[in-house]
Amino acid sequence: MNVIELNNLTKMYGKARGITEVSFHVEEGEIFGFIGPNGAGKSTTIRLLLSLIYPTSGSATIFGKDVVKHAPEIKKEIGYLPSEVFYYDNMKVIDLLKYSASFYKKDCAKKIKELAEMMELDLTRKIDDLSLGNKKKVGIVQGLLHEPKLIILDEPTSGLDPLMQQRFFELLENENQKGATILFSSHILSEVQRLCDRVAIIKEGKIVQVEKIRTLKENNYKKFKIETVSKVPDELFSRLPGVNQLEVKGKTISFIFRGNINHIMQKIAGIEIANLWVEEPDLEEIFMHFYQREA
Amino acid sequence: MNMYLHELKAYRKSTIIWTLSLIAIVVLFMSLFPAFSRDAEDFMKVLEGFPEEVKKAIGLSFDTLATILGYFSYAFLYIKLCGAIQAMNLGLSIFSKESRDKTAEFLFTKPVTRTQVMTAKLLACFTSLILTNLAFILAVLGTVSMVKTEEYSGKALLMISGSLLFLQLIFLGLGVFLAVLLPKVKSVIAVSLGTVFAFFMIGMISSSTDDEALRFFTPFNYVNDYYIIEHLRFETSFLLVGAVIIILSVLTSFLVYRKKDIHSV
């Protein structure tokens, strides 16, 4: 069953682009990554799913129900963690969490305690006095305390230290094993690679690709930078399949390679090199790749 | 119910402060009445020098100022000003705070409809204002009966002080309407003070010129205290206009709020 389904979902802010004809689906029980650079439309898509904003055209369903028509019903089973957490000041953490729990018709006291212990969150502090990271923890507990079937996370890790990030991921994996579906939006590829089964890549308001993480990894993008001793002909690498964004500046050659790494190494072995860098490309560079292929 | 209680609690402090302030104004004004009525004639002589328009604008009416009801009506003009600011502040603040404090994502991702949110907030406003008015009326009845020098119509006094709620509801409606309609309210106090004072000025102009048509443009003059003292009833046409304003602003706010995009920060 598909937990989330988007059909040509479009949102325009006046004439400015929000997202254009976004379609993808998230299956029950999977951790679905949603990646793209800042301003690509990740948050817009999520806000549409939560009916914080309403679509210009197209539609979306969660649990098979239309997100606009059945919003309150759907939200009973959704836990949401925004990228920036702001809560009513002047409240203690526990009061805020109790207020949050009061919207769901179940007893969440035990879960609150459990989550707070796991995230090392002091429930008696005032929210005003909390650091960014601690506020984020409040957000995490707040989003999970009603044991939602669908967890929506919008760049959730900012502000958390590496240890807490680790805990948080374990927590998510736990919830996932218990049956929760997770939509995880991020611009950090490594997080997504670690957690997700499939990803949708969004750029400038459009879905560029929906792929299994396994495929992405098999694709094995590498960023090469080679400094040669003497100038080599440009064609040496440009003819090779899998080479993208080739740049030659004097004796420095750089490109992104996707494919069997042995082929490229054999080629490099054939020339005399002064220096060699092989790096994981960052997300932006992979995007550039997708982008160019689209064009 | 949880939202209603939450909002009520959030505005508890401000409601108490406004209520106490209103009571303080009543007590202050009315405690001066014994001294004033004793020397009323001297006061009148001083005031006679004022131009007629100014006297009307600041709410002085010669025939009645020496009576307790007349004196109270004079004080009531400034109580109305305060009450209007309180109500408008409340309406503006409670409906714009989700976007000001960036808590919209908390509230609107909960399993509630926009209509439920709006209803809870409106009820909380209404409760706050009712409580304020109850305390205010009690304070008025108490102080007036303590300082009175002659018998007065209790009904007129009740009608005048009760009209504060009517005025407040109008300004509450305007505040809610503005909060929902404006894309973003950065400073609640600036918008509410601006609006209230604009209407207050129109009210002064309308009083000093006796312009009946202009009265329709300012909620401050929908209830004429001197008319009440004389006839012991409200003027229906103005009551109707006020009611229409309240209903229209709340209704349109509901309609807009339900369809409004909640933008991120």
Side-chain angles (χ1 to χ4, degrees):
Chain A
M1 193 192 93
N2 291 338
V3 170
I4 305 179
E5 231 181 289
L6 282 78
N7 299 311
N8 295 322
L9 199 62
T10 301
K11 175 71 184 176
M12 303 292 285
Y13 295 114
K15 279 191 180 156
R17 165 191 65 80
I19 54 169
T20 328
E21 305 207 327
V22 166
S23 301
F24 63 84
H25 67 270
V26 179
E27 284 155 27
E28 189 171 8
E30 78 176 330
I31 305 185
F32 190 88
F34 193 37
I35 54 178
N38 295 328
K42 297 190 296 286
S43 293
T44 300
T45 311
I46 287 176
R47 298 175 79 80
L48 282 166
L49 287 176
L50 292 165
S51 65
L52 286 167
I53 54 177
Y54 296 109
T56 313
S57 67
S59 66
T61 61
I62 291 180
F63 308 125
K65 288 169 191 149
D66 187 87
V67 291
V68 178
K69 275 187 218 133
H70 301 281
E73 207 185 321
I74 294 169
K75 285 176 195 166
K76 279 183 200 161
E77 297 295 346
I78 296 183
Y80 170 61
L81 174 61
S83 50
E84 285 180 274
V85 251
F86 296 97
Y87 293 123
Y88 305 96
D89 294 340
N90 236 326
M91 268 177 119
K92 278 189 190 150
V93 174
I94 186 69
D95 294 333
L96 187 271
L97 293 176
K98 276 185 183 157
Y99 181 43
S100 179
S102 69
F103 284 92
Y104 307 99
K105 285 171 186 68
K106 50 174 123 175
D107 182 25
C108 308
K110 214 181 115 209
K111 188 80 181 171
I112 291 177
K113 233 182 122 195
E114 198 183 302
L115 288 166
E117 263 168 34
M118 190 156 175
M119 296 308 294
E120 294 174 17
L121 177 66
D122 184 355
L123 293 176
T124 56
R125 299 266 307 268
K126 277 214 166 188
I127 294 179
D128 303 6
D129 305 335
L130 295 181
S131 66
L132 181 67
N134 277 323
K135 274 190 187 158
K136 199 86 193 194
K137 290 182 194 171
V138 180
I140 293 169
V141 179
Q142 186 270 129
L144 298 179
L145 55 82
H146 56 294
E147 298 172 63
K149 285 192 192 129
L150 171 64
I151 302 169
I152 296 181
L153 309 158
D154 194 355
E155 303 190 5
T157 50
S158 61
L160 288 180
D161 62 44
L163 180 70
M164 277 306 145
Q165 243 176 60
Q166 198 59 30
R167 287 264 175 92
F168 176 50
F169 286 161
E170 277 162 24
L171 195 64
L172 288 179
E173 275 163 347
N174 250 333
E175 294 296 319
N176 180 240
Q177 267 154 28
K178 279 191 240 160
T181 310
I182 299 174
L183 176 66
F184 188 105
S185 133
S186 177
H187 61 272
I188 305 164
L189 189 59
S190 58
E191 303 185 332
V192 176
Q193 266 177 349
R194 180 185 178 299
L195 271 182
C196 301
D197 310 313
R198 290 194 305 144
V199 285
I201 297 169
I202 188 168
K203 173 130 194 159
E204 291 179 358
K206 284 184 181 146
I207 296 289
V208 186
Q209 184 109 351
V210 180
E211 231 174 328
K212 286 202 169 111
I213 279 286
R214 222 183 311 133
T215 333
L216 265 185
K217 278 188 182 158
E218 276 163 10
N219 278 342
N220 205 1
Y221 293 91
K222 293 286 174 208
K223 192 165 103 182
F224 278 86
K225 195 172 152 198
I226 306 163
E227 219 178 286
T228 53
V229 173
S230 55
K231 195 169 166 23
V232 293
D234 284 8
E235 312 84 69
L236 191 65
F237 289 104
S238 63
R239 296 251 178 86
L240 211 66
V243 170
N244 280 291
Q245 298 170 40
L246 180 70
E247 254 181 72
V248 183
K249 273 185 209 149
K251 290 177 192 165
T252 315
I253 306 160
S254 62
F255 56 86
I256 293 200
F257 179 75
R258 172 194 174 192
N260 190 331
I261 200 106
N262 290 302
H263 295 161
I264 194 85
M265 292 313 288
Q266 277 162 13
K267 202 85 182 175
I268 293 171
I271 53 172
E272 199 174 345
I273 59 172
N275 215 338
L276 170 70
W277 296 264
V278 184
E279 288 167 348
E280 291 288 325
D282 57 36
L283 193 56
E284 196 67 18
E285 285 161 318
I286 295 188
F287 278 132
M288 288 300 287
H289 164 71
F290 276 115
Y291 197 52
Q292 284 177 344
R293 203 171 54 186
E294 288 293 300
Chain B
M1 195 65 181
N2 55 349
M3 284 184 283
Y4 167 73
L5 291 176
H6 173 83
E7 298 293 357
L8 210 55
K9 215 173 147 193
Y11 285 90
R12 186 179 49 189
K13 225 187 217 164
S14 104
T15 306
I16 293 175
I17 292 174
W18 277 106
T19 309
L20 290 181
S21 312
L22 283 177
I23 293 175
I25 299 176
V26 174
V27 172
L28 187 77
F29 263 104
M30 296 324 283
S31 62
L32 292 177
F33 180 71
F36 176 83
S37 64
R38 227 179 296 127
D39 306 322
E41 288 202 354
D42 295 335
F43 273 111
M44 294 301 184
K45 265 184 208 139
V46 176
L47 291 173
E48 252 165 44
F50 282 37
E52 191 62 24
E53 286 76 19
V54 174
K55 279 182 279 186
K56 277 184 182 161
I58 59 172
L60 288 174
S61 166
F62 261 96
D63 322 324
T64 56
L65 194 56
T67 70
I68 185 133
L69 284 181
Y71 181 81
F72 176 72
S73 304
Y74 168 64
F76 191 59
L77 180 66
Y78 301 96
I79 290 164
K80 282 201 288 192
L81 180 61
C82 277
I85 296 171
Q86 178 199 7
M88 181 121 188
N89 252 346
L90 183 62
L92 257 176
S93 155
I94 206 168
F95 280 91
S96 65
K97 77 167 174 188
E98 310 307 329
S99 55
R100 258 183 310 114
D101 298 346
K102 302 157 187 174
T103 49
E105 276 151 336
F106 173 86
L107 189 57
F108 294 111
T109 54
K110 295 279 176 277
V112 287
T113 60
R114 301 267 178 97
T115 312
Q116 283 170 318
V117 173
M118 181 125 188
T119 313
K121 281 174 182 267
L122 271 180
L123 281 179
C125 290
F126 200 59
T127 314
S128 291
L129 291 185
I130 295 265
L131 290 177
T132 301
N133 276 276
L134 279 180
F136 165 74
I137 289 176
L138 285 179
V140 169
L141 295 182
T143 44
V144 169
S145 69
M146 265 192 284
V147 298
K148 67 171 181 188
T149 49
E150 77 242 311
E151 283 314 303
Y152 61 93
S153 159
K155 191 181 172 197
L157 184 65
L158 259 182
M159 282 173 83
I160 294 172
S161 42
S163 75
L164 180 69
L165 182 63
F166 175 64
L167 179 83
Q168 286 194 312
L169 288 180
I170 297 177
F171 276 99
L172 177 73
L174 289 178
V176 173
F177 181 71
L178 279 181
V180 171
L181 226 66
L182 293 175
K184 194 157 195 177
V185 182
K186 283 216 179 80
S187 161
V188 169
I189 200 86
V191 179
S192 61
L193 279 187
T195 319
V196 170
F197 273 110
F199 281 119
F200 191 72
M201 294 307 287
I202 299 176
M204 286 175 105
I205 297 168
S206 146
S207 308
S208 69
T209 54
D210 283 328
D211 188 336
E212 279 293 300
L214 201 55
R215 271 184 74 191
F216 282 103
F217 291 96
T218 173
F220 281 105
N221 291 27
Y222 284 0
V223 173
N224 182 341
D225 305 337
Y226 303 113
Y227 183 91
I228 293 179
I229 295 173
E230 222 169 292
H231 304 276
L232 277 183
R233 58 185 170 84
F234 295 110
E235 290 154 286
T236 325
S237 53
F238 288 100
L239 278 193
L240 277 178
V241 174
V244 166
I245 291 176
I246 297 170
I247 292 168
L248 270 187
S249 51
V250 169
L251 270 185
T252 34
S253 303
F254 259 105
L255 291 177
V256 174
Y257 204 61
R258 280 181 54 195
K259 293 276 162 233
K260 194 179 172 184
D261 279 353
I262 309 288
H263 290 295
S264 59
V265 271

